[in-house]
């Protein structure tokens, strides 16, 4: 038997992207993937070659408040990024010791989570890699972010909205979401049906929403 996926239409005026913090620049980048089975590799390749170099080279004061939070939509993506940041490839792109990376997942202990959050909030770590399920189950409040990278789109639009709020109070809050055409339903929940359809079919891979 087949499966049917139901989707309630979302207008652009009621979507999660419209409820982002004031002044937040939200960039969406469509990553080309030939099939659902190659989508994960396509996302990683784009992060490796483009997103991570940009994140690593971003100026940071070291005093907190200007970090980058990377939200992974799946635990498989989280483990892949954790292995990447420990690899020579990541260190060849940037000095990871100068842009320290910490991790919080649904399997992190309370003490591990507390240490990672504290390092990120105080600027000892410039990047925090976080999972959607960790946020769903624990609803963490994370301080120290001025930018968010969505490594794949969260399935719940509420998660998108709440994670963007972590940048509230930053001088120039921004986000960069990587997605493929196989994230169509998640995209439409976040930006609205009409805008999502346009973004999926546009010749341009990049779209920007400002609040």
């Amino acid at each position: 038997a087949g499966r049917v996926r139901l989707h309630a239409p979302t207008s652009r005026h009621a979507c999660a992207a419209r409820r982002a913090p004031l002044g937040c620049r939200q960039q969406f980048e469509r990553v080309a993937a030939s099939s659902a089975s190659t989508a994960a590799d396509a996302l990683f390749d784009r992060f490796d070659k483009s997103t991570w170099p940009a994140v690593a080279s971003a100026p940071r004061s070291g005093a907190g408040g200007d970090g980058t939070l990377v939200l992974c939509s799946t635990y498989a993506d989280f483990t892949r990024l954790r292995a990447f940041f420990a690899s020579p490839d990541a260190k060849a792109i940037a000095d990871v010791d100068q842009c320290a990376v910490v991790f919080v997942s649904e399997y992190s202990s309370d003490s591990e989570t507390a240490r990672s959050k504290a390092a990120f909030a105080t600027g000892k770590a410039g990047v925090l890699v976080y999972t959607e399920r960790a946020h769903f189950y624990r609803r963490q409040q994370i301080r120290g972010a001025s930018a968010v990278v969505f490594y794949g789109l969260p399935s719940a639009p509420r998660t998108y909205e709440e994670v963007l709020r972590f940048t509230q109070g930053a001088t120039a809050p921004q986000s960069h979401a990587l997605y493929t055409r196989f994230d169509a339903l998640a995209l439409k929940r976040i930006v609205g049906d009409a805008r999502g359809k346009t973004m999926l079919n546009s010749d341009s891979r990049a779209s920007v929403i400002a609040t």
Side-chain angles (χ1 to χ4, degrees):
R3 293 187 298 174
V4 176
R5 197 176 274 188
L6 300 178
H7 169 66
T10 305
S11 77
R12 64 185 298 174
H13 302 293
C15 65
R18 298 290 293 180
R19 296 189 291 272
L22 191 63
C24 184
R25 183 180 187 274
Q26 303 165 69
Q27 180 175 355
F28 294 82
E29 181 180 356
R30 191 179 69 243
V31 178
S34 58
S35 66
S37 62
T38 63
D41 288 339
L43 281 180
F44 177 75
D45 186 62
R46 189 61 182 168
F47 182 87
D48 176 10
K49 294 180 178 177
S50 177
T51 311
W52 167 237
V55 169
S57 62
R60 291 185 175 84
S61 66
D66 51 10
T68 299
L69 186 146
V70 180
L71 183 78
C72 296
S73 58
T74 70
Y75 186 72
D77 290 335
F78 174 85
T79 57
R80 187 171 193 172
L81 287 190
R82 186 170 57 187
F84 167 71
F85 284 123
S87 72
D89 290 339
K91 295 176 181 178
I93 295 170
D95 185 346
V96 178
D97 292 331
Q98 296 299 315
C99 183
V101 184
V102 290
F103 305 89
V104 174
S105 77
E106 58 268 38
Y107 300 110
S108 300
S109 67
D110 289 344
S111 58
E112 289 171 336
T113 298
R115 284 196 298 270
S116 293
K117 288 173 61 179
F120 187 65
T122 58
K124 292 179 180 178
V127 177
L128 188 153
V129 184
Y130 188 42
T131 64
E132 181 178 0
R133 284 172 67 88
H135 185 73
F136 178 82
Y137 287 119
R138 301 187 184 183
R139 285 292 188 271
Q140 300 283 352
Q141 294 300 312
I142 295 176
R143 295 179 294 109
S146 64
V148 176
V149 172
F150 291 96
Y151 187 95
L153 297 176
S155 57
R158 177 182 173 185
T159 298
Y160 179 87
E161 181 183 344
E162 290 177 345
V163 169
L164 276 189
R165 284 191 200 141
F166 295 156
T167 66
Q168 198 139 25
T171 303
Q174 59 183 300
S175 67
H176 188 150
L178 300 175
Y179 70 97
T180 72
R181 61 190 177 94
F182 302 99
D183 295 314
L185 288 180
L187 178 66
K188 290 178 180 179
R189 294 188 193 107
I190 291 170
V191 303
D193 282 57
R195 191 194 295 268
K197 184 177 181 180
T198 299
M199 290 165 62
L200 289 164
N201 294 297
S202 173
D203 290 337
S204 174
R205 293 186 297 105
S207 302
V208 175
I209 298 175
T211 51

